[in-house]
Amino acid sequence: SQTIHQWPATLVQPVGSPLSLECTVEGTSNPNLYWYRQAAGRGLQLLFYSVGIGQISSEVPQNLSASRPQDRQFILSSKKLLLSDSGFYLCAWSVSTSSSYEQYFGPGTRLTVT
Amino acid sequence: KNQVEQSPQSLIILEGKNCTLQCNYTVSPFSNLRWYKQDTGRGPVSLTIMTFSENTKSNGRYTATLDADTKQSSLHITASQLSDSASYICVVSGPGNNRKLIWGLGTSLAVNP
């Protein structure tokens, strides 16, 4: 069976500090991978999307970046965090050839920028 | 503008009762509509996914309906349980690349004993 892991679960970082969130998927090959952010009182916002190693699509301009160094590893980074980066970050995967387009979510990382 | 609107924003019901959550969307063209359940502090979990040709789909005590003509969907929960307390999110997808999901803000459901 497939599983998706995210860490850390919670993180408190000062403004201007760097960020690295990691997501890994097990039990599947060549998944589509996604990073979402869920701010308080707002719907999920797609940040980045990847269909393969080294292939990253950015949905919104911001001070965040994403990388996919391995097939089942997706990393979200920032060089300098802003207060507005606070939120609940979710990683998700989908089977690239699935007609159901189902997305499966990880447990999330709660980021608080102080 | 592609939008998904849900109502009510929040709902409180007693355990054992039924409830219905609403979703209206303006996404066009339309490919499929999903309902997710999100427990507090957790990632969303899929309940149902329906294409434009389907008008109802069930998953246990959850039944989703879809009217593609009026662009409305509902999620009916039967015989609610305390564990049903969560946010229920309606998500609409356009055709082609499945990353283009439009997320609603969700309905926060509280089931009280």
Side-chain angles (χ1 to χ4, degrees):
Chain A
S1 64
Q2 300 87 6
T3 56
I4 179 169
H5 304 278
Q6 282 186 250
W7 64 91
T10 60
L11 191 60
V12 179
Q13 293 282 93
V15 170
S17 64
L19 173 72
S20 180
L21 303 182
E22 190 164 344
C23 170
T24 59
V25 181
E26 296 177 354
T28 187
S29 296
N30 194 32
N32 289 348
L33 295 174
Y34 313 80
W35 277 113
Y36 286 89
R37 176 169 59 203
Q38 188 174 32
R42 302 185 68 177
L44 269 71
Q45 179 186 35
L46 180 64
L47 302 175
F48 299 97
Y49 167 80
S50 173
V51 298
I53 295 174
Q55 300 180 61
I56 309 295
S57 296
S58 175
E59 289 295 303
V60 293
Q62 57 206 326
N63 69 320
L64 299 172
S65 62
S67 61
R68 185 171 177 173
Q70 301 180 45
D71 181 46
R72 290 168 288 179
Q73 183 185 30
F74 206 20
I75 298 173
L76 183 69
S77 304
S78 174
K79 293 181 178 179
K80 291 184 178 181
L81 284 169
L82 306 173
L83 285 175
S84 58
D85 291 324
S86 293
F88 191 47
Y89 288 82
L90 289 159
C91 181
W93 72 273
S94 67
V95 176
S96 58
T97 57
S98 171
S99 61
S100 68
Y101 301 121
E102 190 58 81
Q103 290 190 12
Y104 303 93
F105 287 82
T109 294
R110 174 74 61 189
L111 172 66
T112 302
V113 182
T114 60
Chain B
K1 183 178 179 180
N2 291 326
Q3 286 186 314
V4 175
E5 295 183 349
Q6 295 187 241
S7 62
Q9 184 176 5
S10 61
L11 183 63
I12 302 174
I13 62 174
L14 292 176
E15 185 179 12
K17 298 296 185 181
N18 304 334
C19 67
T20 300
L21 314 180
Q22 301 291 340
C23 173
N24 296 333
Y25 62 93
T26 58
V27 178
S28 183
F30 166 81
S31 175
N32 58 66
L33 184 145
R34 316 144 187 243
W35 282 94
Y36 281 89
K37 177 187 178 185
Q38 185 176 21
D39 293 318
T40 301
R42 307 287 295 274
V45 175
S46 177
L47 295 175
T48 63
I49 179 170
M50 292 183 290
T51 63
F52 67 90
S53 61
E54 298 176 287
N55 55 26
T56 186
K57 182 163 282 188
S58 293
N59 178 359
R61 295 180 295 103
Y62 301 101
T63 299
T65 64
L66 172 64
D67 186 332
D69 292 331
T70 62
K71 296 185 177 179
Q72 295 179 325
S73 177
S74 65
L75 180 69
H76 186 75
I77 303 176
T78 304
S80 61
Q81 301 176 359
L82 298 179
S83 59
D84 292 331
S85 296
S87 179
Y88 291 84
I89 307 174
C90 177
V91 188
V92 179
S93 171
N97 192 328
N98 70 331
R99 64 189 173 96
K100 295 297 183 181
L101 300 180
I102 310 299
W103 293 75
L105 296 182
T107 291
S108 178
L109 174 66
V111 180
N112 291 339

Short mmCIF file of all heavy atoms in Angstrom, two decimals, chain A residues 32 34 36 38 41-44 46 49 57 59 88 90 94 100-103 105-108 110, chain B residues 31-32 34 36 38 41-46 48-49 89 93 96-101 103-105:
data_model
loop_
_atom_site.label_atom_id
_atom_site.label_comp_id
_atom_site.label_asym_id
_atom_site.label_seq_id
_atom_site.Cartn_x
_atom_site.Cartn_y
_atom_site.Cartn_z
N ASN A 32 2.71 11.95 -9.40
CA ASN A 32 2.64 13.41 -9.43
C ASN A 32 2.69 13.87 -7.98
O ASN A 32 2.06 13.26 -7.11
CB ASN A 32 1.32 13.88 -10.06
CG ASN A 32 1.27 13.64 -11.55
OD1 ASN A 32 2.28 13.32 -12.17
ND2 ASN A 32 0.10 13.77 -12.13
N TYR A 34 2.58 17.24 -5.14
CA TYR A 34 2.01 18.58 -4.98
C TYR A 34 2.37 19.15 -3.60
O TYR A 34 2.43 18.41 -2.62
CB TYR A 34 0.48 18.53 -5.06
CG TYR A 34 -0.09 17.73 -6.21
CD1 TYR A 34 -0.18 16.35 -6.15
CD2 TYR A 34 -0.56 18.38 -7.36
CE1 TYR A 34 -0.71 15.61 -7.20
CE2 TYR A 34 -1.10 17.64 -8.41
CZ TYR A 34 -1.18 16.26 -8.32
OH TYR A 34 -1.71 15.55 -9.36
N TYR A 36 0.70 22.11 -1.15
CA TYR A 36 -0.40 23.03 -0.92
C TYR A 36 -0.13 23.81 0.37
O TYR A 36 0.55 23.33 1.28
CB TYR A 36 -1.72 22.29 -0.72
CG TYR A 36 -2.34 21.69 -1.96
CD1 TYR A 36 -2.02 20.39 -2.36
CD2 TYR A 36 -3.29 22.39 -2.70
CE1 TYR A 36 -2.62 19.82 -3.48
CE2 TYR A 36 -3.89 21.83 -3.81
CZ TYR A 36 -3.56 20.54 -4.19
OH TYR A 36 -4.16 19.98 -5.29
N GLN A 38 -2.53 25.86 3.34
CA GLN A 38 -3.87 26.16 3.83
C GLN A 38 -3.74 27.20 4.93
O GLN A 38 -3.30 26.90 6.03
CB GLN A 38 -4.55 24.89 4.37
CG GLN A 38 -6.01 25.06 4.72
CD GLN A 38 -6.63 23.74 5.11
OE1 GLN A 38 -5.98 22.85 5.67
NE2 GLN A 38 -7.93 23.55 4.82
N GLY A 41 -8.82 30.20 7.56
CA GLY A 41 -9.99 30.80 6.93
C GLY A 41 -9.97 30.81 5.41
O GLY A 41 -10.82 31.45 4.79
N ARG A 42 -9.02 30.08 4.82
CA ARG A 42 -8.92 30.07 3.37
C ARG A 42 -8.84 28.64 2.87
O ARG A 42 -8.48 27.72 3.59
CB ARG A 42 -7.69 30.85 2.92
CG ARG A 42 -7.70 32.29 3.41
CD ARG A 42 -6.55 33.07 2.84
NE ARG A 42 -6.69 33.27 1.40
CZ ARG A 42 -5.84 33.97 0.66
NH1 ARG A 42 -4.80 34.54 1.22
NH2 ARG A 42 -6.03 34.10 -0.63
N GLY A 43 -9.19 28.47 1.62
CA GLY A 43 -9.13 27.15 1.01
C GLY A 43 -7.69 26.75 0.69
O GLY A 43 -6.78 27.56 0.78
N LEU A 44 -7.52 25.50 0.33
CA LEU A 44 -6.19 25.03 -0.04
C LEU A 44 -5.69 25.74 -1.29
O LEU A 44 -6.43 25.92 -2.26
CB LEU A 44 -6.20 23.53 -0.31
CG LEU A 44 -5.89 22.63 0.89
CD1 LEU A 44 -7.04 22.64 1.87
CD2 LEU A 44 -5.57 21.22 0.43
N LEU A 46 -2.74 25.65 -4.17
CA LEU A 46 -1.66 24.88 -4.77
C LEU A 46 -0.44 25.78 -4.95
O LEU A 46 -0.52 26.85 -5.55
CB LEU A 46 -2.09 24.32 -6.12
CG LEU A 46 -1.05 23.49 -6.87
CD1 LEU A 46 -0.69 22.23 -6.09
CD2 LEU A 46 -1.54 23.13 -8.27
N TYR A 49 3.85 21.90 -8.24
CA TYR A 49 3.38 20.66 -8.84
C TYR A 49 4.55 20.05 -9.59
O TYR A 49 5.32 20.78 -10.24
CB TYR A 49 2.24 21.01 -9.79
CG TYR A 49 1.83 19.93 -10.74
CD1 TYR A 49 1.01 18.90 -10.32
CD2 TYR A 49 2.23 19.98 -12.07
CE1 TYR A 49 0.62 17.93 -11.21
CE2 TYR A 49 1.83 19.01 -12.97
CZ TYR A 49 1.01 18.00 -12.53
OH TYR A 49 0.62 17.03 -13.42
N SER A 57 6.59 22.87 -11.38
CA SER A 57 5.75 23.96 -11.87
C SER A 57 5.29 24.79 -10.68
O SER A 57 4.83 24.24 -9.69
CB SER A 57 4.53 23.42 -12.62
OG SER A 57 4.92 22.71 -13.77
N GLU A 59 2.80 27.61 -9.10
CA GLU A 59 1.46 28.14 -9.34
C GLU A 59 1.31 29.59 -8.91
O GLU A 59 0.50 30.32 -9.46
CB GLU A 59 0.41 27.29 -8.60
CG GLU A 59 0.21 25.92 -9.22
CD GLU A 59 -0.36 26.01 -10.62
OE1 GLU A 59 -1.43 26.61 -10.79
OE2 GLU A 59 0.28 25.49 -11.56
N PHE A 88 -0.64 25.94 7.16
CA PHE A 88 -0.61 24.48 7.22
C PHE A 88 -0.21 23.99 5.83
O PHE A 88 -0.92 24.23 4.86
CB PHE A 88 -2.00 23.98 7.62
CG PHE A 88 -2.07 22.52 7.97
CD1 PHE A 88 -1.14 21.94 8.81
CD2 PHE A 88 -3.09 21.72 7.47
CE1 PHE A 88 -1.22 20.59 9.15
CE2 PHE A 88 -3.17 20.37 7.80
CZ PHE A 88 -2.23 19.80 8.65
N LEU A 90 0.63 21.13 3.14
CA LEU A 90 0.24 19.76 2.82
C LEU A 90 0.92 19.30 1.55
O LEU A 90 0.95 20.00 0.54
CB LEU A 90 -1.28 19.67 2.64
CG LEU A 90 -2.10 19.82 3.92
CD1 LEU A 90 -3.52 20.23 3.60
CD2 LEU A 90 -2.10 18.51 4.70
N SER A 94 -0.51 11.86 -6.59
CA SER A 94 -1.53 11.19 -7.39
C SER A 94 -0.83 10.26 -8.37
O SER A 94 0.34 10.45 -8.71
CB SER A 94 -2.41 12.20 -8.13
OG SER A 94 -1.67 12.89 -9.12
N SER A 100 -9.00 8.66 -12.49
CA SER A 100 -9.81 9.17 -11.39
C SER A 100 -9.23 10.45 -10.82
O SER A 100 -9.91 11.16 -10.09
CB SER A 100 -9.93 8.14 -10.27
OG SER A 100 -8.67 7.96 -9.65
N TYR A 101 -7.98 10.75 -11.16
CA TYR A 101 -7.32 11.96 -10.68
C TYR A 101 -7.41 12.13 -9.18
O TYR A 101 -7.55 13.24 -8.69
CB TYR A 101 -7.91 13.19 -11.37
CG TYR A 101 -7.79 13.16 -12.86
CD1 TYR A 101 -8.91 13.23 -13.67
CD2 TYR A 101 -6.55 13.06 -13.46
CE1 TYR A 101 -8.81 13.20 -15.04
CE2 TYR A 101 -6.43 13.03 -14.84
CZ TYR A 101 -7.57 13.11 -15.62
OH TYR A 101 -7.47 13.08 -16.97
N GLU A 102 -7.36 11.04 -8.45
CA GLU A 102 -7.44 11.14 -7.00
C GLU A 102 -6.12 11.67 -6.45
O GLU A 102 -5.05 11.31 -6.92
CB GLU A 102 -7.72 9.76 -6.40
CG GLU A 102 -8.06 9.78 -4.93
CD GLU A 102 -9.26 10.65 -4.64
OE1 GLU A 102 -10.39 10.18 -4.82
OE2 GLU A 102 -9.05 11.82 -4.22
N GLN A 103 -6.21 12.54 -5.46
CA GLN A 103 -5.02 13.03 -4.77
C GLN A 103 -5.06 12.56 -3.33
O GLN A 103 -6.09 12.63 -2.67
CB GLN A 103 -4.94 14.56 -4.83
CG GLN A 103 -4.64 15.08 -6.23
CD GLN A 103 -4.33 16.57 -6.25
OE1 GLN A 103 -4.12 17.18 -5.21
NE2 GLN A 103 -4.28 17.14 -7.44
N PHE A 105 -3.33 12.89 0.46
CA PHE A 105 -2.62 13.91 1.22
C PHE A 105 -1.83 13.32 2.38
O PHE A 105 -2.22 12.33 2.99
CB PHE A 105 -3.60 14.95 1.76
CG PHE A 105 -4.13 15.87 0.71
CD1 PHE A 105 -5.19 15.49 -0.10
CD2 PHE A 105 -3.55 17.12 0.51
CE1 PHE A 105 -5.68 16.33 -1.09
CE2 PHE A 105 -4.03 17.97 -0.48
CZ PHE A 105 -5.09 17.57 -1.28
N GLY A 106 -0.72 14.00 2.69
CA GLY A 106 0.05 13.67 3.86
C GLY A 106 -0.55 14.30 5.10
O GLY A 106 -1.57 14.99 5.03
N PRO A 107 0.09 14.09 6.26
CA PRO A 107 -0.46 14.59 7.52
C PRO A 107 -0.30 16.09 7.72
O PRO A 107 -0.93 16.66 8.59
CB PRO A 107 0.33 13.81 8.57
CG PRO A 107 1.62 13.48 7.89
CD PRO A 107 1.27 13.25 6.45
N GLY A 108 0.57 16.73 6.94
CA GLY A 108 0.72 18.18 7.02
C GLY A 108 1.79 18.64 7.99
O GLY A 108 2.20 17.92 8.91
N ARG A 110 2.47 22.14 10.33
CA ARG A 110 1.96 23.44 10.81
C ARG A 110 3.15 24.36 11.01
O ARG A 110 3.99 24.11 11.87
CB ARG A 110 1.21 23.25 12.12
CG ARG A 110 0.77 24.55 12.78
CD ARG A 110 -0.40 25.17 12.06
NE ARG A 110 -1.57 24.30 12.04
CZ ARG A 110 -2.65 24.54 11.32
NH1 ARG A 110 -2.73 25.62 10.57
NH2 ARG A 110 -3.66 23.70 11.36
N SER B 31 -14.74 18.89 -15.08
CA SER B 31 -14.35 17.50 -15.26
C SER B 31 -14.90 16.60 -14.17
O SER B 31 -15.55 15.59 -14.46
CB SER B 31 -12.82 17.39 -15.28
OG SER B 31 -12.42 16.04 -15.35
N ASN B 32 -14.60 16.94 -12.93
CA ASN B 32 -15.12 16.13 -11.85
C ASN B 32 -15.25 16.95 -10.57
O ASN B 32 -14.70 18.04 -10.46
CB ASN B 32 -14.26 14.89 -11.60
CG ASN B 32 -12.82 15.23 -11.28
OD1 ASN B 32 -12.53 15.83 -10.26
ND2 ASN B 32 -11.91 14.87 -12.17
N ARG B 34 -15.26 16.56 -6.25
CA ARG B 34 -14.86 15.69 -5.14
C ARG B 34 -15.32 16.29 -3.83
O ARG B 34 -15.42 17.50 -3.69
CB ARG B 34 -13.33 15.56 -5.09
CG ARG B 34 -12.67 15.34 -6.44
CD ARG B 34 -11.34 16.07 -6.50
NE ARG B 34 -10.78 15.99 -7.84
CZ ARG B 34 -9.62 15.39 -8.10
NH1 ARG B 34 -8.92 14.85 -7.14
NH2 ARG B 34 -9.17 15.34 -9.34
N TYR B 36 -14.07 16.06 0.18
CA TYR B 36 -13.03 15.62 1.10
C TYR B 36 -13.48 15.87 2.53
O TYR B 36 -14.19 16.84 2.82
CB TYR B 36 -11.72 16.39 0.88
CG TYR B 36 -10.88 15.94 -0.29
CD1 TYR B 36 -11.06 16.48 -1.56
CD2 TYR B 36 -9.88 15.00 -0.12
CE1 TYR B 36 -10.28 16.08 -2.62
CE2 TYR B 36 -9.08 14.59 -1.18
CZ TYR B 36 -9.29 15.14 -2.43
OH TYR B 36 -8.51 14.75 -3.48
N GLN B 38 -11.78 16.66 6.23
CA GLN B 38 -10.52 17.05 6.84
C GLN B 38 -10.70 17.20 8.35
O GLN B 38 -11.38 18.12 8.81
CB GLN B 38 -9.97 18.35 6.25
CG GLN B 38 -8.60 18.72 6.79
CD GLN B 38 -8.01 19.95 6.16
OE1 GLN B 38 -8.72 20.79 5.59
NE2 GLN B 38 -6.68 20.09 6.21
N GLY B 41 -6.21 19.65 11.92
CA GLY B 41 -4.78 19.40 11.98
C GLY B 41 -4.31 18.21 11.16
O GLY B 41 -3.17 17.76 11.33
N ARG B 42 -5.17 17.71 10.28
CA ARG B 42 -4.80 16.57 9.45
C ARG B 42 -4.98 16.91 7.97
O ARG B 42 -5.60 17.90 7.61
CB ARG B 42 -5.67 15.36 9.80
CG ARG B 42 -5.70 14.99 11.27
CD ARG B 42 -4.42 14.37 11.73
NE ARG B 42 -4.16 13.09 11.10
CZ ARG B 42 -4.63 11.93 11.55
NH1 ARG B 42 -5.38 11.90 12.62
NH2 ARG B 42 -4.34 10.81 10.91
N GLY B 43 -4.45 16.04 7.12
CA GLY B 43 -4.65 16.23 5.70
C GLY B 43 -6.03 15.77 5.27
O GLY B 43 -6.65 14.93 5.92
N PRO B 44 -6.57 16.33 4.16
CA PRO B 44 -7.89 15.92 3.69
C PRO B 44 -7.89 14.47 3.23
O PRO B 44 -6.88 13.95 2.72
CB PRO B 44 -8.15 16.85 2.50
CG PRO B 44 -7.19 17.96 2.64
CD PRO B 44 -5.99 17.39 3.34
N VAL B 45 -9.02 13.82 3.40
CA VAL B 45 -9.22 12.44 2.96
C VAL B 45 -10.41 12.41 2.02
O VAL B 45 -11.46 12.97 2.33
CB VAL B 45 -9.46 11.50 4.16
CG1 VAL B 45 -9.78 10.09 3.67
CG2 VAL B 45 -8.25 11.48 5.07
N SER B 46 -10.24 11.77 0.88
CA SER B 46 -11.29 11.74 -0.13
C SER B 46 -12.49 10.90 0.32
O SER B 46 -12.33 9.81 0.86
CB SER B 46 -10.72 11.17 -1.43
OG SER B 46 -11.73 11.08 -2.40
N THR B 48 -15.68 11.08 -1.92
CA THR B 48 -16.26 10.69 -3.20
C THR B 48 -15.65 11.53 -4.31
O THR B 48 -15.16 12.63 -4.08
CB THR B 48 -17.79 10.92 -3.24
OG1 THR B 48 -18.05 12.32 -3.10
CG2 THR B 48 -18.52 10.16 -2.16
N ILE B 49 -15.71 10.99 -5.50
CA ILE B 49 -15.33 11.74 -6.69
C ILE B 49 -16.32 11.38 -7.79
O ILE B 49 -16.62 10.20 -8.01
CB ILE B 49 -13.88 11.46 -7.13
CG1 ILE B 49 -13.54 12.25 -8.39
CG2 ILE B 49 -13.64 9.98 -7.32
CD1 ILE B 49 -12.06 12.21 -8.73
N ILE B 89 -14.96 19.50 2.54
CA ILE B 89 -14.52 20.42 1.49
C ILE B 89 -14.95 19.90 0.12
O ILE B 89 -14.73 18.73 -0.21
CB ILE B 89 -13.00 20.60 1.51
CG1 ILE B 89 -12.52 20.99 2.91
CG2 ILE B 89 -12.58 21.66 0.50
CD1 ILE B 89 -11.01 21.04 3.06
N SER B 93 -12.74 20.11 -10.37
CA SER B 93 -11.61 20.03 -11.28
C SER B 93 -12.05 20.25 -12.72
O SER B 93 -13.06 19.72 -13.15
CB SER B 93 -10.96 18.66 -11.16
OG SER B 93 -10.00 18.47 -12.18
N GLY B 96 -8.37 17.84 -18.36
CA GLY B 96 -6.95 17.88 -18.68
C GLY B 96 -6.09 17.69 -17.46
O GLY B 96 -6.33 16.81 -16.65
N ASN B 97 -5.11 18.52 -17.30
CA ASN B 97 -4.16 18.40 -16.20
C ASN B 97 -4.90 18.44 -14.85
O ASN B 97 -5.49 19.43 -14.49
CB ASN B 97 -3.16 19.55 -16.29
CG ASN B 97 -2.00 19.36 -15.36
OD1 ASN B 97 -2.14 18.79 -14.30
ND2 ASN B 97 -0.84 19.86 -15.77
N ASN B 98 -4.81 17.38 -14.10
CA ASN B 98 -5.63 17.29 -12.89
C ASN B 98 -5.16 18.14 -11.75
O ASN B 98 -5.74 18.14 -10.68
CB ASN B 98 -5.74 15.84 -12.43
CG ASN B 98 -4.41 15.33 -11.88
OD1 ASN B 98 -3.35 15.80 -12.28
ND2 ASN B 98 -4.48 14.40 -10.97
N ARG B 99 -4.12 18.89 -11.94
CA ARG B 99 -3.69 19.73 -10.84
C ARG B 99 -4.55 20.96 -10.68
O ARG B 99 -4.48 21.66 -9.70
CB ARG B 99 -2.25 20.15 -11.05
CG ARG B 99 -2.03 21.03 -12.29
CD ARG B 99 -0.55 21.23 -12.55
NE ARG B 99 -0.31 21.90 -13.81
CZ ARG B 99 -0.10 23.21 -13.88
NH1 ARG B 99 -0.12 23.93 -12.79
NH2 ARG B 99 0.13 23.77 -15.04
N LYS B 100 -5.42 21.25 -11.68
CA LYS B 100 -6.24 22.44 -11.60
C LYS B 100 -7.49 22.17 -10.79
O LYS B 100 -8.58 22.01 -11.31
CB LYS B 100 -6.61 22.91 -13.01
CG LYS B 100 -5.43 23.35 -13.84
CD LYS B 100 -4.72 24.56 -13.23
CE LYS B 100 -3.58 25.02 -14.12
NZ LYS B 100 -2.86 26.18 -13.53
N LEU B 101 -7.29 22.11 -9.49
CA LEU B 101 -8.41 21.89 -8.58
C LEU B 101 -8.80 23.21 -7.95
O LEU B 101 -7.95 23.98 -7.52
CB LEU B 101 -8.02 20.90 -7.49
CG LEU B 101 -7.59 19.51 -7.93
CD1 LEU B 101 -7.23 18.67 -6.71
CD2 LEU B 101 -8.69 18.84 -8.74
N TRP B 103 -10.69 24.70 -4.82
CA TRP B 103 -11.11 24.25 -3.51
C TRP B 103 -12.11 25.21 -2.89
O TRP B 103 -11.91 26.42 -2.90
CB TRP B 103 -9.90 24.12 -2.59
CG TRP B 103 -8.96 23.04 -2.98
CD1 TRP B 103 -8.07 23.06 -4.02
CD2 TRP B 103 -8.81 21.77 -2.34
NE1 TRP B 103 -7.39 21.87 -4.05
CE2 TRP B 103 -7.81 21.07 -3.05
CE3 TRP B 103 -9.42 21.17 -1.24
CZ2 TRP B 103 -7.41 19.79 -2.68
CZ3 TRP B 103 -9.02 19.89 -0.88
CH2 TRP B 103 -8.02 19.21 -1.60
N GLY B 104 -13.17 24.65 -2.30
CA GLY B 104 -14.06 25.45 -1.48
C GLY B 104 -13.45 25.68 -0.11
O GLY B 104 -12.40 25.12 0.21
N LEU B 105 -14.09 26.53 0.68
CA LEU B 105 -13.59 26.84 2.02
C LEU B 105 -14.02 25.80 3.04
O LEU B 105 -13.51 25.79 4.16
CB LEU B 105 -14.05 28.23 2.47
CG LEU B 105 -13.52 29.38 1.63
CD1 LEU B 105 -14.00 30.71 2.21
CD2 LEU B 105 -12.00 29.37 1.55
#
